[in-house]
Amino acid sequence: MSKDKVLELRNKIDFHNIPNHVAIIMDGNGRWAKKRFLPRTAGHQEGMKRVMDIVEVAKKLNIKYLSLYAFSTENWKRPQEEIDGLMKILVYYIRSELEKIHENNIRIQVMGDITKLPKTPKGEVEKAMEKTKNNSKMILNIGLNYGGRDEIIYGIKNILEDIKMGKIDEDDITTELFSKYIYTQNLPDPDLLIRPSGELRLSNFMLYQIAYTEFWFSDIYWPDFKEEYFYKAIIDYQKRNRRFGGI
Ligand code: IPE
Ligand code: IPE
Ligand code: MG
């Protein structure tokens, strides 16, 4: 798409109605690579570049929370070689982007059980969270070894722990309280969920949080997800009539 066309799209965005929290299932890296007779890891590498771009675009649009699904609890089923490649890319991403992210006042947060990650990526992720913990422009929430069902169990266990300790009572449990016991405790629910790659499913992503989220699907593969697609998703979102069960 030409620069002018991209600008034209951007100008259609209503800056008074920007989704507060956007969640993205970054899918289609493997197929993008296959189409080009490249190894799947090449697709993940190109996908990482789109992460760099999209974080920048999100910041410019004043999006306050950006959740990215990077590695699911089910992705461990993949060949070890691919898992190793993904972990290497994660480490590369943090090492090369952390300074810029920090300068941009972005806070990195993770959802998922990172204790199961190999030592190097786990260390890099912890360092990034610690360094950026006081940043306030945007929260970049990355799903790593993340699964929606896993998260719900994690929340239940945390609640039970607090009941045992006498901090809360069983009768205190409400949907709002529960949302304080899961990974996204300091984040509002997503307003917009984007899934490229043509799949029309959630693949275990943010099951508790997306009760009233607007969905936007596209056939484009994640490595092709340039800023214009982000603008298109937001423009579509702004046409939706969100009723939350009301009239
Ligand atoms: C998304 O792309 C990246 C991860 C799941 C880590 P895929 O690797 O799932 O790509 P496809 O869906 O096989 O094309
Ligand atoms: C979802 O994509 C997980 C991530 C994007 C990290 P998958 O490629 O793992 O999902 P399925 O297997 O197509 O449902
Ligand atoms: Mg996939």
Side-chain angles (χ1 to χ4, degrees), residues 52-167:
M52 294 169 172
D53 303 342
I54 291 302
V55 167
E56 189 88 350
V57 175
K59 193 203 85 183
K60 281 190 193 140
L61 290 173
N62 249 328
I63 288 165
K64 289 281 166 229
Y65 307 91
L66 180 66
S67 292
L68 301 178
Y69 204 4
F71 194 88
S72 78
T73 48
E74 287 74 36
N75 287 149
W76 297 108
K77 292 178 193 163
R78 297 187 178 201
Q80 192 56 45
E81 198 188 329
E82 181 169 347
I83 296 173
D84 293 345
L86 282 163
M87 294 299 155
K88 264 198 195 137
I89 288 169
L90 171 65
V91 169
Y92 178 87
Y93 174 74
I94 297 176
R95 287 189 180 155
S96 59
E97 291 297 283
L98 184 57
E99 217 38 66
K100 192 166 122 208
I101 287 174
H102 188 49
E103 273 166 24
N104 280 330
N105 197 15
I106 296 170
R107 178 177 177 184
I108 293 187
Q109 214 176 283
V110 162
M111 54 179 178
D113 180 7
I114 59 163
T115 64
K116 300 287 182 321
L117 295 187
K119 205 169 140 222
T120 310
K122 181 173 167 280
E124 290 297 322
V125 165
E126 282 167 346
K127 203 162 71 191
M129 289 194 290
E130 177 60 29
K131 187 178 171 84
T132 61
K133 67 180 181 200
N134 295 319
N135 293 349
S136 57
K137 168 82 184 155
M138 181 174 100
I139 290 183
L140 173 59
N141 176 43
I142 308 174
L144 285 173
N145 187 23
Y146 173 83
R149 287 184 168 179
D150 213 55
E151 179 177 38
I152 291 168
I153 303 294
Y154 165 84
I156 292 171
K157 285 185 177 166
N158 284 340
I159 283 210
L160 285 174
E161 187 66 28
D162 273 6
I163 293 175
K164 250 193 266 167
M165 305 272 279
K167 286 190 194 160

Side-chain angles (χ1 to χ4, degrees), residues 26-31 40 75 78 195 197 199 201:
M26 306 185 290
D27 195 21
N29 295 352
R31 280 164 284 171
R40 290 179 60 86
N75 287 149
R78 297 187 178 201
R195 182 170 192 160
S197 94
E199 310 298 356
R201 56 177 173 257

